């Protein structure tokens, strides 16, 4: 029987993704990082092989796979030293369209997203003044007949310049007029190809190569037919996508952690100091063993969450805990790998410092680990809401 969890689960998917990754080795990723360049060739290769359409149902041209399988795709990219951040959002962003879009919207967008003709990589939620408090966003969408006029500012909108469509969260009812503060926000599919100078993106120079931007929106007209679902229910729709997002990010972190552990163990065996391999010292090998142990534990929670999700069962606690455990495990593994490499860990040609920076992001985004702990405290342990 095929093992349905662990790093041997879904061997066919792993082999196929590894074959693609083999065409984009360490020098490729190092160069993208150095130039702060979007890895278009890699994303194109994944798209044409159909992997970015893993979660799109077959009737809309995708493969109709579950989150478990999709998570393996992202895990393998990270494990092979790549950076799935260039394209991971398309997997979970389109879930909002799939779950809450009308049949007409799904027919209009999903087949072209599945084939790669349309890129839905951008997700405009975070704003400079709202941060983690999403219900405080100020970008407004005011209804005028059959359209909405949008004005506001987003920050950290990643892959904006590599997207044809952007999913946008905007306020359709002023905050002060709401009794239930989780209402009053709506989600739109914004066609960036026709937005002209009503949207301006300014790239943010960041610690990681992430194609991320500040986005300024001025008098942008969005047809009412491009609103997803009901007006005012956007926050709920976004929350519905969070579990899939958490599980996919957890899998990426597990892939990163395994990359760090593989590299650390290999280097610890090969590097000889004081006449013996450094990995013979417990001070070197125990931290690697600890990081491996933490990674395997996090991976169990990732599989538990993925199984529940794919069965249609509630999985909020498991998805959140998986994201927390995996991002902490990958960060631990990153530090151990850097320590094991000594000074060479800082040399770009070893790729450790690049992956070290890349994996650090996942303690902060798409959701900060403090907010994950606040969720567990409140929703699992019944402690008072802390924010
Ligand atoms: C490279 C990158 C790419 C990103 N891509 C996207 C994207 O494509 N689309 C998008 O919409 N957003 C994106 N983001 C934004 C990301 O989701 C946010 O940065 C993240 O959610 C945290 O929000 P913040 O930065 O405003 O931090 P803040 O909310 O300002 O929080 C700052 C610190 O305070 C802590 N904190 C705040 N409130 C509490 C509390 N009640 N209890 C405990 N601690 C608290 C936080 O945990 C954090 O440590 C990206 C961010 C980065 C860095």
């Amino acid at each position: 029987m095929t093992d349905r969890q662990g790093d041997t689960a879904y061997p066919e998917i792993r082999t196929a993704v590894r074959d693609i990754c083999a065409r984009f080795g360490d020098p490729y990723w190092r160069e993208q990082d150095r130039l702060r360049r979007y890895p278009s060739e890699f994303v194109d290769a994944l798209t044409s092989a159909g992997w970015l359409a893993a979660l799109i149902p077959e009737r809309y041209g995708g493969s109709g796979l579950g989150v478990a399988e999709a998570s393996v795709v992202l895990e393998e990219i990270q494990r092979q030293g790549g950076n799935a951040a260039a394209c991971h959002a398309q997997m979970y962003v389109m879930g909002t369209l799939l779950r809450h879009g009308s049949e007409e919207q799904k027919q209009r967008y999903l087949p072209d997203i599945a084939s790669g003709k349309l890129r839905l990589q951008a997700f405009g939620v975070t704003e400079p003044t709202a941060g983690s408090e999403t219900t405080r966003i100020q970008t407004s969408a005011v209804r005028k007949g059959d359209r909405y006029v949008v004005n506001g500012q987003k920050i950290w909108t990643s892959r904006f310049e590599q997207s044809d469509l952007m999913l946008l969260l905007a306020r359709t009812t002023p905050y002060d007029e709401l009794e239930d503060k989780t209402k009053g926000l709506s989600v739109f599919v914004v066609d960036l190809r026709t937005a002209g100078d009503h949207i301006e993106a300014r790239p943010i120079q960041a610690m990681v190569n992430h194609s991320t931007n500040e986005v300024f929106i001025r008098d942008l007209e969005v047809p009412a037919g491009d609103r997803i679902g009901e007006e005012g229910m956007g926050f709920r729709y976004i929350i519905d996508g969070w579990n899939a997002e958490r599980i996919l990010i957890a899998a990426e972190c597990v892939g990163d952690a395994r990359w760090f552990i593989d590299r650390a163990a290999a280097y610890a065996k090969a590097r000889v100091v004081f006449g013996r391999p450094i990995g013979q010292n417990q001070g070197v090998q125990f931290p690697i063993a600890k990081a491996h142990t933490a990674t395997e534990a996090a991976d169990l929670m990732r599989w538990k969450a993925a199984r529940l999700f794919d069965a249609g069962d509630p999985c909020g606690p498991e998805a959140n805990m998986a994201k927390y455990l995996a991002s902490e495990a990958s960060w631990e593994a990153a530090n151990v790998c850097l320590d094991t490499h000594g000074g060479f860990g800082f040399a770009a040609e070893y790729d450790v410092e690049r992956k070290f920076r890349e994996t650090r992001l996942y303690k902060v985004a798409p959701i900060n680990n403090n907010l994950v702990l606040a969720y567990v405290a409140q929703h699992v342990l019944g402690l008072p809401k802390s924010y």
Side-chain angles (χ1 to χ4, degrees):
M1 199 181 87
T2 317
D3 189 4
R4 294 324 253 179
Q5 65 176 39
D7 71 345
T8 54
Y10 300 102
E12 313 79 16
I13 297 179
R14 288 181 194 277
T15 306
V17 175
R18 274 179 203 162
D19 284 350
I20 295 175
C21 290
R23 289 156 40 201
F24 302 90
D26 291 344
Y28 174 81
W29 290 106
R30 211 176 298 143
E31 192 65 354
Q32 308 312 300
D33 181 62
R34 191 177 69 79
L35 299 172
R36 288 295 191 264
R37 182 180 175 273
Y38 185 78
S40 318
E41 307 78 11
F42 173 74
V43 177
D44 288 349
L46 265 190
T47 305
S48 49
W51 293 116
L52 290 189
L55 290 170
I56 297 180
E58 285 175 289
R59 67 181 180 286
Y60 300 114
S63 345
L65 298 173
V67 156
E69 289 96 328
S71 75
V72 170
V73 174
L74 298 181
E75 179 196 335
E76 273 306 319
I77 295 169
Q78 301 305 109
R79 179 144 196 198
Q80 303 310 312
N83 187 4
C87 51
H88 58 190
Q90 182 148 307
M91 279 196 180
Y92 47 80
V93 167
M94 71 85 210
T96 305
L97 179 58
L98 185 63
R99 274 186 299 276
H100 304 289
S102 66
E103 189 53 36
E104 186 278 321
Q105 287 170 329
K106 290 187 232 182
Q107 295 286 358
R108 181 151 43 111
Y109 293 122
L110 290 177
D112 284 347
I113 293 172
S115 73
K117 204 167 142 200
L118 282 180
R119 299 162 304 164
L120 171 59
Q121 299 280 7
F123 194 24
V125 175
T126 309
E127 296 189 3
T129 55
S132 306
E133 196 177 359
T134 306
T135 54
R136 282 283 191 174
I137 63 162
Q138 293 176 11
T139 294
S140 67
V142 177
R143 180 95 189 224
K144 299 248 164 85
D146 63 350
R147 6 210 81 220
Y148 287 85
V149 179
V150 183
N151 280 286
Q153 186 189 343
K154 296 287 173 184
I155 194 164
W156 302 114
T157 310
S158 305
R159 303 159 299 271
F160 177 93
E161 288 166 305
Q162 293 78 28
S163 294
D164 303 301
L165 306 172
M166 170 172 74
L167 214 65
L168 176 76
L169 188 69
R171 173 163 301 291
T172 38
T173 307
Y175 186 84
D176 294 339
E177 291 175 18
L178 292 162
E179 249 175 59
D180 178 350
K181 303 297 186 194
T182 65
K183 298 232 168 103
L185 303 178
S186 301
V187 184
F188 301 90
V189 184
V190 174
D191 193 331
L192 298 175
R193 296 165 303 171
T194 55
D197 56 9
H198 295 285
I199 297 195
E200 186 202 342
R202 290 188 205 150
I204 300 174
Q205 215 176 356
M207 179 174 142
V208 280
N209 179 25
H210 208 91
S211 312
T212 192
N213 304 274
E214 276 184 287
V215 171
F216 300 87
I217 310 174
R218 290 180 211 95
D219 296 329
L220 172 74
E221 295 200 352
V222 179
D226 286 343
R227 189 193 67 227
I228 294 183
E230 276 180 60
E231 184 177 292
M233 294 303 289
F235 185 60
R236 169 90 355 237
Y237 301 157
I238 298 287
I239 289 181
D240 279 354
W242 278 350
N243 288 338
E245 179 192 273
R246 308 269 195 274
I247 296 167
L248 293 171
I249 295 292
E252 283 185 51
C253 291
V254 166
D256 273 345
R258 289 190 171 130
W259 183 91
F260 286 118
I261 292 161
D262 290 347
R263 292 284 170 118
Y267 190 80
K269 279 185 244 174
R271 172 75 169 168
V272 174
V273 180
F274 297 112
R276 58 186 190 168
I278 56 169
Q280 201 175 331
N281 301 302
Q282 290 182 340
V284 173
Q285 62 177 232
F286 282 9
I288 305 174
K290 268 178 72 183
H292 173 72
T293 305
T295 302
E296 292 303 303
D299 197 33
L300 287 177
M301 187 60 78
R302 164 270 187 109
W303 285 109
K304 182 177 181 190
R307 261 199 313 272
L308 289 168
F309 185 97
D310 286 335
D313 291 331
C315 65
E318 289 79 7
N320 275 282
M321 290 189 289
K323 188 273 176 183
Y324 175 85
L325 290 169
S327 61
E328 295 290 337
S330 72
W331 181 232
E332 181 183 345
N335 277 287
V336 165
C337 190
L338 193 77
D339 283 338
T340 306
H341 280 76
F344 288 114
F346 292 79
E349 68 175 289
Y350 282 76
D351 298 295
V352 175
E353 61 85 32
R354 169 177 64 82
K355 294 283 285 178
F356 179 91
R357 286 181 280 112
E358 287 170 0
T359 213
R360 181 62 177 81
L361 175 65
Y362 298 119
K363 276 163 62 82
V364 173
I367 182 170
N368 205 288
N369 277 357
N370 273 0
L371 273 292
V372 173
L373 293 177
Y375 173 93
V376 173
Q378 186 189 338
H379 295 282
V380 180
L381 304 178
L383 292 166
K385 186 172 178 180
S386 62
Y387 56 93

Coordinates of all heavy atoms in Angstrom, one line a residue, residues 123-126 131-132 155-159 208 210 212 361 364-368 370-371 386-387, ligand 1:
F123 N -2.8 38.9 -4.6 CA -3.8 38.8 -3.5 C -3.7 40.1 -2.7 O -2.7 40.2 -1.9 CB -3.5 37.6 -2.7 CG -4.6 37.1 -1.8 CD1 -5.9 37.5 -2.0 CD2 -4.3 36.4 -0.7 CE1 -6.9 37.0 -1.2 CE2 -5.3 35.9 0.2 CZ -6.6 36.2 -0.1
G124 N -4.6 41.1 -2.9 CA -4.4 42.4 -2.2 C -5.3 42.4 -1.0 O -6.5 42.8 -1.1
V125 N -4.7 42.1 0.1 CA -5.4 42.2 1.4 C -4.7 43.2 2.3 O -5.4 44.2 2.8 CB -5.5 40.8 2.1 CG1 -6.1 40.9 3.5 CG2 -6.2 39.8 1.2
T126 N -3.5 43.0 2.6 CA -2.8 43.8 3.6 C -2.7 45.3 3.3 O -2.5 45.6 2.1 CB -1.3 43.2 3.9 OG1 -1.4 41.8 4.1 CG2 -0.7 43.9 5.1
G131 N -2.5 46.1 8.8 CA -1.6 44.9 9.2 C -2.5 43.7 9.5 O -3.4 43.4 8.7
S132 N -2.2 43.0 10.6 CA -2.9 41.8 10.8 C -4.4 42.0 11.1 O -5.2 41.0 11.1 CB -2.3 41.1 12.1 OG -0.9 40.9 11.9
I155 N -0.4 47.0 0.6 CA 1.0 46.9 0.7 C 1.4 45.4 0.7 O 0.5 44.6 1.1 CB 1.6 47.6 2.0 CG1 3.1 47.7 1.9 CG2 1.1 46.9 3.3 CD1 3.7 48.7 2.9
W156 N 2.6 45.0 0.3 CA 3.0 43.7 0.2 C 2.2 42.9 -0.7 O 1.9 41.7 -0.5 CB 3.0 43.0 1.6 CG 3.9 43.6 2.6 CD1 3.4 44.2 3.8 CD2 5.3 43.7 2.7 NE1 4.5 44.7 4.5 CE2 5.6 44.4 3.8 CE3 6.3 43.3 1.8 CZ2 7.0 44.7 4.1 CZ3 7.6 43.6 2.1 CH2 7.9 44.3 3.3
T157 N 1.7 43.5 -1.8 CA 1.0 42.7 -2.8 C 2.0 42.1 -3.7 O 2.6 42.7 -4.6 CB 0.1 43.7 -3.6 OG1 -0.7 44.5 -2.7 CG2 -0.9 42.9 -4.5
S158 N 2.1 40.8 -3.5 CA 3.2 40.0 -4.2 C 2.7 39.6 -5.5 O 1.5 39.4 -5.8 CB 3.6 38.8 -3.3 OG 4.0 39.3 -2.0
R159 N 3.7 39.5 -6.4 CA 3.5 39.0 -7.8 C 2.5 39.8 -8.6 O 1.9 39.4 -9.6 CB 3.0 37.5 -7.8 CG 3.9 36.5 -7.1 CD 3.3 35.3 -6.6 NE 2.2 35.6 -5.7 CZ 2.3 35.6 -4.4 NH1 3.5 35.4 -3.8 NH2 1.3 35.9 -3.6
V208 N 13.9 39.2 0.9 CA 13.8 38.1 0.0 C 13.4 38.5 -1.4 O 12.8 39.5 -1.6 CB 12.7 37.1 0.6 CG1 13.3 36.2 1.7 CG2 11.5 37.8 1.0
H210 N 10.9 38.4 -3.8 CA 9.5 38.0 -3.6 C 8.5 38.8 -4.5 O 7.3 38.7 -4.4 CB 9.1 38.3 -2.2 CG 8.0 37.4 -1.7 ND1 8.2 36.1 -1.1 CD2 6.6 37.5 -1.7 CE1 7.0 35.6 -0.8 NE2 6.0 36.4 -1.2
T212 N 7.3 41.8 -4.6 CA 6.2 42.3 -3.8 C 6.2 43.9 -3.9 O 7.2 44.5 -4.1 CB 6.3 41.8 -2.3 OG1 5.1 42.1 -1.6 CG2 7.5 42.3 -1.6
L361 N 10.6 34.1 6.3 CA 9.3 34.8 6.0 C 8.1 34.1 6.6 O 7.2 34.7 7.0 CB 9.1 34.8 4.5 CG 7.8 35.4 3.9 CD1 7.7 36.9 4.3 CD2 7.7 35.3 2.4
V364 N 6.3 35.0 9.6 CA 5.6 36.3 9.6 C 4.4 36.3 8.7 O 3.4 36.9 9.0 CB 6.6 37.4 9.2 CG1 6.0 38.7 8.9 CG2 7.8 37.5 10.2
A365 N 4.5 35.7 7.5 CA 3.5 35.8 6.5 C 3.2 34.3 6.0 O 4.1 33.5 6.1 CB 4.0 36.6 5.3
P366 N 2.0 34.1 5.4 CA 0.9 35.0 5.2 C 0.3 35.4 6.6 O -0.5 36.3 6.6 CB -0.1 34.2 4.4 CG 0.6 33.0 4.0 CD 1.8 32.7 4.9
I367 N 0.5 34.7 7.6 CA 0.0 35.1 8.9 C 1.1 35.0 9.9 O 1.9 34.0 9.9 CB -1.2 34.3 9.4 CG1 -1.7 34.9 10.7 CG2 -0.9 32.8 9.5 CD1 -3.0 34.4 11.2
N368 N 1.2 36.0 10.8 CA 2.2 35.9 11.9 C 1.9 34.8 12.9 O 0.8 34.6 13.2 CB 2.2 37.3 12.6 CG 3.5 37.6 13.2 OD1 3.9 37.0 14.2 ND2 4.3 38.4 12.5
N370 N 2.3 34.8 16.0 CA 1.6 35.2 17.2 C 0.1 35.1 17.0 O -0.6 34.7 17.9 CB 1.9 36.7 17.4 CG 3.2 36.9 18.3 OD1 3.8 35.9 18.7 ND2 3.5 38.1 18.6
L371 N -0.3 35.4 15.8 CA -1.8 35.4 15.5 C -2.2 33.9 15.5 O -3.4 33.6 15.8 CB -2.1 36.1 14.2 CG -2.4 37.6 14.4 CD1 -3.7 37.9 15.1 CD2 -1.2 38.4 15.0
S386 N -7.6 37.8 22.9 CA -6.5 38.7 23.4 C -6.3 39.9 22.5 O -5.4 40.7 22.7 CB -5.2 38.0 23.4 OG -4.8 37.5 22.2
Y387 N -7.1 40.1 21.5 CA -7.0 41.2 20.6 C -8.3 41.8 20.1 O -9.3 41.2 20.3 CB -6.1 40.8 19.3 CG -6.7 39.7 18.5 CD1 -7.6 39.9 17.5 CD2 -6.4 38.4 18.9 CE1 -8.1 38.8 16.8 CE2 -7.0 37.3 18.2 CZ -7.8 37.5 17.2 OH -8.4 36.5 16.5
Ligands
LIG1 C1 7.5 39.2 1.6 C2 6.1 39.4 2.0 C3 5.1 39.1 1.1 C4 3.7 39.3 1.4 N1 2.8 39.0 0.5 C5 1.5 39.4 0.7 C6 0.5 39.4 -0.3 O1 0.8 38.9 -1.4 N2 -0.7 39.9 -0.1 C7 -1.1 40.4 1.2 O2 -2.2 40.8 1.3 N3 -0.1 40.5 2.2 C8 1.1 40.0 2.0 N4 2.1 40.1 3.0 C9 1.7 40.7 4.3 C10 1.7 39.8 5.4 O3 0.5 39.0 5.3 C11 1.7 40.6 6.7 O4 3.0 41.2 6.8 C12 1.5 39.8 7.9 O5 0.1 39.3 7.9 C13 1.7 40.6 9.2 O6 1.1 41.8 9.1 P1 2.0 43.2 9.5 O7 3.2 43.1 8.7 O8 1.1 44.4 9.2 O9 2.3 43.1 11.0 P2 1.5 43.7 12.2 O10 0.1 43.3 12.1 O11 1.7 45.2 12.2 O12 2.2 43.0 13.4 C14 3.5 43.4 13.8 C15 3.9 42.5 15.0 O13 3.0 42.6 16.0 C16 2.4 41.3 16.4 N5 1.1 41.5 16.8 C17 0.1 42.3 16.3 N6 -1.0 42.2 16.9 C18 -0.8 41.2 17.9 C19 -1.6 40.6 18.9 N7 -2.9 40.9 19.1 N8 -1.1 39.6 19.7 C20 0.2 39.3 19.5 N9 1.0 39.8 18.6 C21 0.5 40.8 17.8 C22 2.6 40.5 15.1 O14 2.5 39.1 15.4 C23 3.9 41.0 14.6 O15 4.9 40.3 15.2 C24 3.4 39.8 2.7 C25 4.4 40.2 3.6 C26 5.7 40.0 3.3 C27 6.8 40.3 4.3

